[in-house]
Amino acid sequence: MLRRLALLGLLGLAACPGDNKDDDDDTDAAKGTVSGSLQPFQAGSAAANASSSLDAFFSLPGAKNLSQKVSKALAAQGVWRTGIPSKQLTHEASLLPGEIIIRFDTPGLSAEEAVAQARVAGYHVVHQAFLSDTQHLLRYEVSQPQAMSGGAPTVRALTQAEHVRVLSQVLAVQGVQNAESNVRVRAQAVPNDPLYSRQWHYKNMNLPAAWDLGTGSGSIVVAVVDTGITSHPDLNSRVLPGMDLISSLTNAGDGDGVDTDPTDNGKDLPNGGSSFHGTHVAGTIGASSDNGLGVAGVTWSGRNILPVRVLGTQGGSLADIIAGVTWASGGPVTGVRLNTTPARVINMSLGGDGPASTEMQTAINAANARGAILVVAAGNENVNTNGSFPCNQQNVICVGAVRFNGKRASYSNFGTQVDVMAAGGQTSEDRNGDGFPDGVLSTLPNSTNQPSYEWYQGTSMATPHVAGIVALMLAQDSKLTAADVEAILKDTADKTSQCSEGCGAGLVDAYAAVLRAKGGGDPTLPPKLAITTTQLSFTGASSQALTVRNNGGGTLQVSVAVSGANASAVSVSSTSLSVPAYKSTALNVTVTPGSLAPGSYVAQIDLTGASSAGNAQVLVKFRVGASDEKDAVIGFAYLDAAGEVQVDDDGISVVRAAGGYNYSLKVTPRDYLVLASIDDTGEGDYFEDGDRVGFWRDTTQVETVTVTKGKTTSDISFTLVPYQSDDDHTPTPTIGGACTTNSTCGTGGQCLTGTSFPGGYCTQSCMTAGCPSGSDCYSNDRGATAYCFVTCTPSSSNTQGSCRTGYRCVSDGAGSGACLP
């Protein structure tokens, strides 16, 4: 099925090399500058057995007619519309006029009694929802008599001024403990699962070692207070009966209000698309693991994921979230069945801008008293968390996000309210060079609502990692309080991930935290070497940090060397490391290509622990000189006053591969949708099956860019991934099978033969592309080249395990292993 828009004549009309320049003519003075870079991937969601979320994007009504809208812009026809999202909401902007959350002295009031007690003269009052046994949501409206005599009165919504006036009167009512405005709140992935090798974020937080201590307990319930959940074979066996607590019929989108069906009906994005946010979050917490299917979750055991739907087609409201926290923790919500499986952990990957809420704090405190631990997202606006709700509430664990290198992600909020950091991903990067975005991979429906998997980024993705780790800790000691858990997470965190802006105690260390919860951390035990990744990727001269851990007692002594034919181009900050018990240190790795000719190269870092503490190898992939990649095309689309899609004449240009896919353009100030594509099919068309396609912010979260006169908007950088329709998938090579010729290994496959590979070994080079599911990239001969090898769960004796006869599962030092001769 072909979905494309041609860019006829673009190469003859668009900018040539050097045309991305800053002109000084008079017209430029009225423009703003946008700069950034594109990150093309050879592999994308389709290579992970997941249909690209772009398919839903391309299926939007009217998308195929856009070529008529943009034909006047340099003859370029290539803009796809998702709709222009609304601005991020603030408390003031998101006020729900007339809606007031009231906490009464008397518990158990009926709807009629609550309305009668909180009535304000001159206003019509409607009981909207029960939030607990003392908290209610009431809506105040203005009654207006009909102009015609005898007509029935009508009602209208309050203005903001009227709302403030009514709120002050309600606060003065006898029997009312507190009242505050209701506001809108918005939504903020060693098992045998074949996509586990794509989940770099688990090794990043030392989770494989934590699983050796335990994979969770079915008695520790984790609530996902979010958009609800969808049916997914990697989740269904772990999901408890949940609740839909969206009180607004319009926002619920399912034809009714509060009910017992927490199914996520989607349609929550500004363009009418669906994020299925709660399903992705739930998958990180508890996708069924070691089941040979899809991805792994942080926790593995039991039917204990509790979906609580509070975010609908219009986001969520403070009132509904209060009800969600109360119900999830086992508290009473009048008119709703009691939760018979109260959550010990509540994940809230959601938030808004504004001060802390008194009534939210009341619900949090009550949930804490029932034994629940709340883990919340810091937010994704790259601002201080002083004004980030609910991160600025008390008695919560607020989580910021790091990227692959352990540093704060560009979008993550920061500040003194942040307690710890966790992997949230950065989908515009591929710092491990596996050919896939450095996002968080988890469960998600595809565009036809079939179960699939996709990479997301955000503090929303970081938060469920911590919620899952807390569940692992409670499985070791269920008596731990919220204060105990927070103290352990902070004390055991990786301090190298702290930042000057405010990243709390640093990146969580799952193994150290779970071990502490178990009462372990014996300093007399022998040291044990562990690393966070087996692969690093560089372009040109650059540096990255590798985290080296001691997952044992005593002091770990590690010797470090660089090997392989290209070892002279790679240097390390130290050839010997000393790592204290249950701590980590950073090893800086620098690539200096020198006189190497343009091309792709590999070397290897060998880490050897003293006194049998273990060994590990890290593949270093680096590219020198200009890429032989094809150029990309970037476009800036907007809606005109009539709501029609247009393209700024200056906002469509070639982005040269030879320039590292960096761009800088001057465009007219307005809000834009930024998109790009590479013509991989060579047919002269863009945005078609087989082409790489991307959008700002990424293919799962389309946002607008505001361009301001005389200002530069920088780092508008995003990923381009191969696009395929849901019904069109290219077969991938078979990895690990016996073979005699390349043709027996499938498309793009290579057969390794000889005495080193008994019976032959199907593989493929992983120098420039990602390995298929269930395999990973390893150096075979000390840094001369690299191939895809089947991943496996290693034992202490490197036995055959799940590998075929003649091969053994060799540990890679990062919690996984590879089937090698």
Side-chain angles (χ1 to χ4, degrees):
M1 179 167 50
L2 195 64
R3 294 193 176 101
R4 66 172 183 252
L5 293 179
L7 292 178
L8 302 177
L10 174 65
L11 297 181
L13 294 171
C16 293
D19 280 359
N20 285 351
K21 61 184 184 294
D22 293 338
D23 298 328
D24 293 323
D25 56 34
D26 293 338
T27 59
D28 282 348
K31 295 181 178 179
T33 302
V34 182
S35 64
S37 62
L38 308 178
Q39 172 66 66
F41 287 95
Q42 294 290 345
S45 54
N49 295 333
S51 298
S52 173
S53 60
L54 296 172
D55 211 48
F57 183 50
F58 293 152
S59 300
L60 293 173
K64 55 187 170 184
N65 298 323
L66 284 181
S67 60
Q68 302 170 10
K69 309 286 186 180
V70 297
S71 59
K72 295 181 181 180
L74 300 176
Q77 304 171 349
V79 179
W80 294 97
R81 176 190 176 191
T82 63
I84 303 299
S86 59
K87 299 292 185 182
Q88 293 175 344
L89 299 174
T90 65
H91 262 200
E92 179 179 358
S94 60
L95 177 73
L96 296 170
E99 294 192 15
I100 297 177
I101 300 167
I102 303 175
R103 175 158 43 97
F104 293 97
D105 291 330
T106 305
L109 293 178
S110 67
E112 294 77 12
E113 289 170 332
V115 166
Q117 187 164 341
R119 194 178 300 280
V120 174
Y123 294 94
H124 177 68
V125 189
V126 177
H127 190 279
Q128 263 188 244
F130 295 98
L131 311 182
S132 70
D133 59 345
T134 59
Q135 293 169 298
H136 300 249
L137 177 63
L138 303 187
R139 186 178 73 252
Y140 292 80
E141 302 165 327
V142 176
S143 296
Q144 299 182 125
Q146 286 280 20
M148 299 294 294
S149 176
T154 60
V155 295
R156 65 165 174 81
L158 301 186
T159 64
Q160 186 166 325
E162 290 170 333
H163 177 97
V164 173
R165 188 161 53 248
V166 169
L167 178 60
S168 65
Q169 294 182 57
V170 172
L171 282 166
V173 170
Q174 186 175 2
V176 171
Q177 282 194 31
N178 189 54
E180 65 180 53
S181 303
N182 192 22
V183 295
R184 183 73 67 196
V185 179
R186 61 182 179 274
Q188 310 271 315
V190 179
N192 63 11
D193 305 81
L195 296 183
Y196 169 64
S197 61
R198 303 282 168 260
Q199 296 178 288
W200 59 269
H201 32 104
Y202 289 165
K203 297 176 183 178
N204 181 272
M205 293 174 288
N206 211 9
L207 260 165
W211 290 328
D212 289 338
L213 302 174
T215 56
S217 167
S219 64
I220 305 299
V221 175
V222 184
V224 181
V225 179
D226 213 291
T227 63
I229 202 164
T230 60
S231 177
H232 198 292
D234 229 358
L235 280 173
N236 292 345
S237 65
R238 302 211 55 200
V239 176
L240 290 164
M243 184 64 66
D244 179 353
L245 289 165
I246 300 176
S247 56
S248 165
L249 294 179
T250 303
N251 189 30
D254 57 2
D256 55 17
V258 175
D259 60 39
T260 58
D261 182 8
T263 299
D264 185 348
N265 296 290
K267 306 298 183 184
D268 58 324
L269 298 180
N271 60 358
S274 305
S275 71
F276 297 118
H277 189 269
T279 298
H280 197 278
V281 169
T284 297
I285 294 170
S288 297
S289 302
D290 207 32
N291 64 341
L293 174 69
V295 296
V298 175
T299 69
W300 296 15
S301 305
R303 191 179 184 89
N304 54 0
I305 306 299
L306 182 69
V308 183
R309 186 172 183 245
V310 297
L311 304 177
T313 59
Q314 301 170 348
S317 79
L318 176 61
D320 292 345
I321 294 169
I322 289 172
V325 168
T326 300
W327 185 84
S329 60
V333 177
T334 305
V336 178
R337 70 167 177 84
L338 187 67
N339 176 17
T340 57
T341 54
R344 287 298 316 277
V345 187
I346 298 177
N347 186 98
M348 291 170 50
S349 291
L350 48 79
D353 304 328
S357 159
T358 300
E359 290 310 306
M360 185 75 242
Q361 194 62 58
T362 297
I364 291 171
N365 294 344
N368 284 158
R370 299 182 194 104
I373 300 169
L374 282 79
V375 185
V376 306
N380 303 324
E381 294 74 45
N382 190 27
V383 298
N384 195 285
T385 49
N386 282 328
S388 298
F389 163 90
C391 179
N392 55 11
Q393 302 284 163
Q394 300 296 310
N395 302 326
V396 298
I397 298 173
C398 180
V399 183
V402 301
R403 61 219 305 173
F404 173 82
N405 63 2
K407 303 303 181 183
R408 183 174 70 87
S410 62
Y411 52 80
S412 178
N413 289 352
F414 50 85
T416 57
Q417 288 80 15
V418 175
D419 294 305
V420 290
M421 307 293 280
Q426 192 94 33
T427 57
S428 61
E429 297 180 342
D430 179 19
R431 287 180 175 260
N432 62 353
D434 66 352
F436 295 88
D438 288 345
V440 172
L441 184 63
S442 186
T443 48
L444 205 73
N446 64 18
S447 61
T448 58
N449 289 328
Q450 296 303 305
S452 189
Y453 306 88
E454 184 60 274
W455 283 276
Y456 272 9
Q457 68 175 26
T459 57
S460 282
M461 284 57 257
T463 305
H465 284 106
V466 177
I469 291 169
V470 171
L472 294 179
M473 295 168 66
L474 292 174
Q476 299 294 339
D477 183 356
S478 62
K479 296 183 179 62
L480 291 174
T481 66
D484 294 334
V485 167
E486 182 176 334
I488 291 173
L489 289 173
K490 288 181 175 180
D491 188 53
T492 57
D494 180 358
K495 303 302 186 286
T496 64
S497 292
Q498 290 179 303
C499 63
S500 59
E501 313 93 87
C503 292
L507 178 65
V508 292
D509 184 326
Y511 174 68
V514 175
L515 186 64
R516 183 75 62 83
K518 191 176 183 178
D522 185 350
T524 65
L525 292 177
K528 183 178 181 181
L529 171 66
I531 56 176
T532 54
T533 182
T534 58
Q535 190 169 302
L536 294 172
S537 178
F538 300 80
T539 300
S542 56
S543 298
Q544 284 198 61
L546 170 71
T547 299
V548 181
R549 290 192 170 108
N550 179 3
N551 281 344
T555 299
L556 170 68
Q557 302 295 338
V558 184
S559 60
V560 184
V562 183
S563 62
N566 308 301
S568 61
V570 179
S571 60
V572 292
S573 56
S574 177
T575 57
S576 63
L577 301 173
S578 181
V579 189
Y582 308 106
K583 297 296 182 182
S584 62
T585 191
L587 176 71
N588 291 318
V589 181
T590 301
V591 170
T592 309
S595 59
L596 283 175
S600 295
Y601 298 88
V602 292
Q604 183 168 292
I605 299 174
D606 301 303
L607 299 103
T608 305
S611 303
S612 302
N615 304 317
Q617 291 77 41
V618 179
L619 183 69
V620 179
K621 298 169 63 175
F622 59 99
R623 192 179 74 236
V624 179
S627 168
D628 58 1
E629 282 270 24
K630 296 182 177 181
D631 295 335
V633 170
I634 194 168
F636 286 69
Y638 66 94
L639 294 182
D640 63 18
E644 297 291 321
V645 175
Q646 305 293 345
V647 175
D648 192 305
D649 288 350
D650 297 322
I652 192 162
S653 179
V654 173
V655 181
R656 301 296 182 188
Y661 291 107
N662 296 307
Y663 72 90
S664 179
L665 296 174
K666 288 185 177 293
V667 291
T668 303
R670 57 168 65 93
D671 286 349
Y672 288 99
L673 178 68
V674 188
L675 60 158
S677 179
I678 294 175
D679 176 24
D680 285 311
T681 60
E683 298 178 358
D685 299 321
Y686 293 78
F687 300 97
E688 68 172 348
D689 286 358
D691 289 340
R692 277 170 287 181
V693 178
F695 303 87
W696 167 261
R697 176 173 304 259
D698 59 44
T699 55
T700 63
Q701 182 181 348
V702 179
E703 295 182 9
T704 50
V705 172
T706 300
V707 178
T708 306
K709 176 183 175 181
K711 303 287 187 181
T712 296
T713 304
S714 58
D715 200 26
I716 304 303
S717 305
F718 52 94
T719 299
L720 307 184
V721 297
Y723 169 64
Q724 289 181 323
S725 301
D726 287 333
D727 54 357
D728 180 18
H729 295 289
T730 302
T732 56
T734 301
I735 304 298
C739 59
T740 55
T741 63
N742 291 344
S743 61
T744 60
C745 294
T747 305
Q750 182 175 351
C751 182
L752 302 180
T753 58
T755 57
S756 297
F757 295 94
Y761 194 98
C762 278
T763 185
Q764 70 175 35
S765 171
C766 50
M767 293 291 290
T768 57
C771 295
S773 301
S775 65
D776 215 339
C777 184
Y778 295 97
S779 173
N780 179 50
D781 47 5
R782 299 182 65 81
T785 187
Y787 295 102
C788 299
F789 290 92
V790 173
T791 53
C792 54
T793 303
S795 65
S796 58
S797 56
N798 289 341
T799 56
Q800 177 181 342
S802 60
C803 302
R804 59 182 255 232
T805 302
Y807 292 78
R808 58 198 177 96
C809 185
V810 179
S811 174
D812 60 14
S816 188
C819 291
L820 299 175

